[in-house]
Amino acid sequence: MVDHFGFDEDLTFQQRYLIADQYWRRDNGPILFYTGNEGDITWFCNNTGFMWDVAEELNAMLVFAEHRYYGESLPFGNESFSDSKHLNYLTSEQALADFAVLIEYLKTTTAGARYSPVIAIGGSYGGMLAAWFRMKYPHVVVGALAASAPIWQFGDLVPCGTYFSIVTNDFRKSGTGCAESIRNSWNAINNLSLTDAGLQWLSNTFLLCSPLKSPQDAVLMKNWLSETWVNLAMVNYPYKADFLQPLPAWPIQEACKFLKDPSLPDKLLLQNVFQAVNLYYNYSGAVPCLDMSETATKNLGQMGWYYQACTEMVMPMCTDGVNDMFEPQKWDFDVLSEECYRLWRVRPRPSWILSMYGGKNISSHSNIIFSNGGLDPWSAGGVTQNISDSLVAIVIPDGAHHLDLRSRNPLDPKSVQQARALEICYMKQWIKEARHSH
């Protein structure tokens, strides 16, 4: 259904899902259900090796469900993003209802699946959905693994600055002078953006596909750089990987090799900053110029996510330039609201997620594992301490963004191996308890 919560609109749409059942035990063996997030489901499927690694051990069927409005699951085809009327059904609640309906459909149409226990698994926004799915539909899933799920990055549940201070710590720990060089780069860009010659120099030095024309463009450039440092923190994995971009092992350490001397004059400092960002955008060496509009893989649905951030996914963020390496910026809800109104003719509702999913008051729920990486900025809004015996927090000190959901790798730190073992242990327990209740 396009709209699960009203009866006036009875349109339906096609939702894409992927199934792997080669290891599934046909007499009600378990189902691991990936709660798709803001992007193409095949990409999440290929980046969630953990599920493939445990399928055989658990005799599990794998299902990867695509989130409405992403990938090929477009409720109104090419019209889906045309205006706020068509976008009106892009919410986490509608997505969870899609998942519940899909599971019911699979259980009734798949021989031997009627009583299969289902476990929700997701990372990032998908991790939030996995946790919320268990909270809202406990009769549909027996438990959830919510990896790197910032379910508390809302309202004033956590300080708005922690996210960027974690990014900064990653750089601080990865090389002397590194975070300081980045902190000093903002003023260097400001100085150069005052003249046309300076803007020209910046455009040439950073190999920008479209040259900077005004100080306003330099602001966009600074936002682009900030987003680059954040993305590096998210994908600071212990081995070569290609998640948001193809990168070397421990990419922040590699980037910091270029950023050892924060006291250099503006141009020399920024030449070094270019080397560091070029590592992120051009590790393969095949990129002719750097495009400021592309910071991550094309597999993510930027438009849809921006609409969600403009409606219910309102996550306050701020920087102070002291506890972090960024230019000071207060959280300004009104600016966001005006921008959202200009773009989509909608206004964000900052406290709705708290009303809907309970904020910090979630102790009445059960069977959810919250895993977070110590290197991941999103852990700022994550659950990092146990809430009860069955609402469990697992912290992976050497882990970046949902490292535990990635495939096993010989270079995995011990902390992530232990985390996965514990996750499997809990999942087996949930499956066993589900067996007994039948």
Side-chain angles (χ1 to χ4, degrees), residues 58 79 108 184-185 198 202 204 386 390 426:
L58 298 178
E79 292 288 288
T108 45
N184 293 349
S185 71
L202 285 169
N204 295 344
N386 291 359
S390 72
Y426 276 104

Side-chain angles (χ1 to χ4, degrees), residues 96-132:
L96 294 177
D98 289 338
F99 297 154
V101 168
L102 173 58
I103 288 171
E104 188 47 41
Y105 167 79
L106 291 172
K107 286 186 155 194
T108 45
T109 56
T110 312
R114 188 79 209 90
Y115 301 110
S116 289
V118 182
I119 293 173
I121 299 180
S124 204
Y125 170 50
M128 299 159 94
L129 291 171
W132 292 338

